Amino acid sequence: MTKPRALITGITGQDGLYLAELLLAKGYEVHGVIRGQNNPRRELVEQLVPQVHQHNGDLTDMSSLMRALTEAQPDEVYNLGAISFVAYSWENAALTSDVTGKGVLTMLEALRLHTGDDPGRVRFYQASSSEMFGKVQETPQRETTLLWPRSPYGVSKVFGHYMTINYRESYGMHASSGILFNHESPRRGEEFVTRKVTKAVAKIHLGLADELVLGNLDARRDWGFAGDYVEAMWLMLQQDEPDDYVIATGVSHSIHDLVDLAFAHIGIDDWSRFVRQDERFRRPAEVDTLVGDATKARERLGWEPKVDFPALVRMMVDADVEALKAGWK
Ligand code: NDP
Ligand code: GDR
């Protein structure tokens, strides 16, 4: 029997690596698009998922995506590539729009040309985001909640989300969009707040640092574990009909709670002497609170998160302590 084949953009990122591991375990032949002439994260892919077939490509370059599709001949395409750091998107709004927004159109168009007169033969997943809800118009947020993005990143994701729906409706593509709430792991980039906190707490625990500088401690997020969330991406593409799904835990916590849990794990209850707030890490427009309703995913996909927030924070602190001790970073 021939193996199913998948092509992943953003394979060097947190989700790309977990998704590649999941698909390989399910017997897929996995292909990944990697950008840049000397991308340092290429080594990470070689180390963690050496079976992945690598293709040079960039979401702003349609011919590179067409070439990757021709070489990989995928049954499923997962479009995870993006400029994904919200704070950075204000500083590089046009670039973020080109990659995170228009890049989705470029990928969809490459796929439409690739599939010719049978547009439904390759299934497509778009990495949409809870950041699209921004200034929330309903709580909890679900698939039908009005979108009100608050950053150039959020606006770009809204463009990609509706373009995915439009290609599904216009051309009959099997294109699904996962509206994923924040998901984290020991592989999370250090610019994101969870990893910034767990790495700093691990350093403080080992006597390597004595300060953690943060922005807004009152913002609330619905945080889950990335390993659970990539399973939902795969489940969406196994459905007969393409659709859009919210993926979330349904529980929200503040940054304050995150800091509490991380310090408690190393035995510190009063962390006030270690944490300082700095305006530098505040955003021009904040998304104050997010919490998702994943009922549709639970009922139709049979998806449920397995790792809760306290367990996630402990996992991340432990991983950072171990990595620091091993002298990897
Ligand atoms: P990461 O930031 O870890 O990974 C982003 C990936 O996109 C990297 O592989 C990066 O490559 C790649 N990329 C950046 N620019 C380009 C480009 N011009 N062409 C091709 N690839 C590019 O993100 P995550 O893994 O956390 O997230 C995956 C996707 O899911 C993203 O689209 C993100 O916006 C979205 N998302 C994430 C959520 C989360 O909580 N993690 C929640 C909701 C949505 P390189 O290594 O070369 O920079
Ligand atoms: P987010 O994640 O913007 O939700 O986007 P991030 O971890 O960057 O911020 C979460 C919240 O924490 C507050 N915060 C800080 N954030 C960072 N990064 N650094 C700080 O020092 C700090 N202090 C407080 C922020 O203001 C914010 O309220 C993530 C990304 O993965 C997106 O790509 C994805 O789409 C969404 O999650 C869902």
Side-chain angles (χ1 to χ4, degrees), residues 224-236:
F225 171 51
D228 290 345
Y229 284 41
V230 296
E231 179 96 37
M233 298 177 187
W234 176 77
L235 283 168
M236 284 178 219

Side-chain angles (χ1 to χ4, degrees), residues 7 9 33 59 62 65-66 68-69 77-79 102-113 124-126 167 173:
L7 178 68
T9 70
V33 174
L59 283 166
M62 180 145 74
L65 300 177
M66 297 277 310
L69 287 166
V77 172
Y78 295 86
N79 188 37
K102 195 163 161 243
V104 184
L105 170 60
T106 308
M107 186 72 242
L108 283 165
E109 191 57 13
L111 190 56
R112 187 181 72 84
L113 294 170
F124 178 81
Y125 173 84
Q126 168 57 21
Y167 267 57
M173 281 174 70

Side-chain angles (χ1 to χ4, degrees), residues 143-158:
E143 292 79 5
T144 50
T145 302
L146 181 70
L147 305 179
W148 196 304
R150 294 271 279 172
S151 63
Y153 169 83
V155 173
S156 303
K157 282 289 178 188
V158 171

Side-chain angles (χ1 to χ4, degrees), residues 259-323:
V259 175
D260 256 348
L261 285 163
F263 274 103
H265 192 48
I266 59 161
I268 294 174
D269 292 328
D270 177 9
W271 40 263
S272 54
R273 74 195 147 103
F274 297 109
V275 178
R276 186 164 63 80
Q277 279 180 273
D278 192 319
E279 287 300 309
R280 209 157 40 100
F281 295 110
R282 286 186 179 264
R283 297 174 179 184
E286 179 63 284
V287 171
D288 295 324
T289 179
L290 290 174
V291 60
D293 175 358
T295 303
K296 181 174 168 184
R298 191 175 60 244
E299 289 178 356
R300 304 216 191 143
L301 306 177
W303 180 84
E304 290 208 35
K306 298 185 186 79
V307 179
D308 69 11
F309 187 57
L312 174 64
V313 175
R314 289 195 298 271
M315 177 206 299
M316 291 176 69
V317 172
D318 287 343
D320 276 321
V321 169
E322 285 316 308

